[in-house]
């Protein structure tokens, strides 16, 4: 059972269990909207008003979101490094190398 206005843990698990490749556009859009709404509700609702299940769900989601953001940061850094290296090689090969 979920708190009022919140997505139930069972619903969240069911959404994660079905691969995105098997979901319709409507299912994906609906999940995105409801997940965003649930994140907002979780952020503004005081911890003391949440059920134990909802507190646990919010905690797990928060950790997963943090890990996802960290992963994006690492990926972006790697892409920036590769792009910079590629630009340096291109500049060197074209004779546009900058001297320090």
């Amino acid at each position: 059972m979920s708190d009022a206005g919140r997505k139930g843990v069972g619903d969240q698990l069911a959404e994660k269990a079905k691969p995105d490749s098997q979901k319709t556009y409507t299912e994906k859009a609906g999940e995105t909207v409801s997940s965003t709404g649930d994140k907002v509700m979780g952020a503004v609702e005081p911890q003391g008003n949440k059920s134990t299940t909802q507190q646990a769900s919010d905690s797990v989601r928060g950790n997963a979101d943090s890990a996802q953001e960290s992963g994006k940061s690492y990926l972006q850094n790697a892409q920036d490094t590769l792009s910079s290296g590629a630009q340096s090689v291109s500049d060197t090969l074209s004779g546009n190398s900058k001297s320090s």
Side-chain angles (χ1 to χ4, degrees), residues 8-55:
V9 175
D11 294 336
Q12 293 175 31
L13 292 173
E15 289 175 358
K16 295 292 181 191
K18 186 175 181 180
D20 283 344
S21 61
Q22 295 179 3
K23 296 177 185 176
T24 65
Y25 174 77
T26 306
E27 286 175 314
K28 289 180 190 178
E31 287 177 10
T32 299
V33 169
S34 64
S35 292
T36 301
D38 192 60
K39 285 181 186 180
V40 169
M41 289 295 295
V44 300
E45 185 176 13
Q47 283 294 105
N49 293 351
K50 297 178 185 179
S51 67
T52 304
T53 306
Q54 208 65 61
Q55 287 179 13

Side-chain angles (χ1 to χ4, degrees), residues 69-79:
E69 286 302 314
S70 294
K72 285 180 182 177
S73 296
Y74 293 134
L75 178 61
Q76 186 61 49
N77 286 338
Q79 288 173 335

Side-chain angles (χ1 to χ4, degrees), residues 80-98:
D80 291 347
T81 300
L82 288 172
S83 177
S84 176
Q87 185 62 49
S88 294
V89 169
S90 176
D91 289 346
T92 300
L93 292 175
S94 67
N96 292 332
S97 141
K98 298 176 185 174

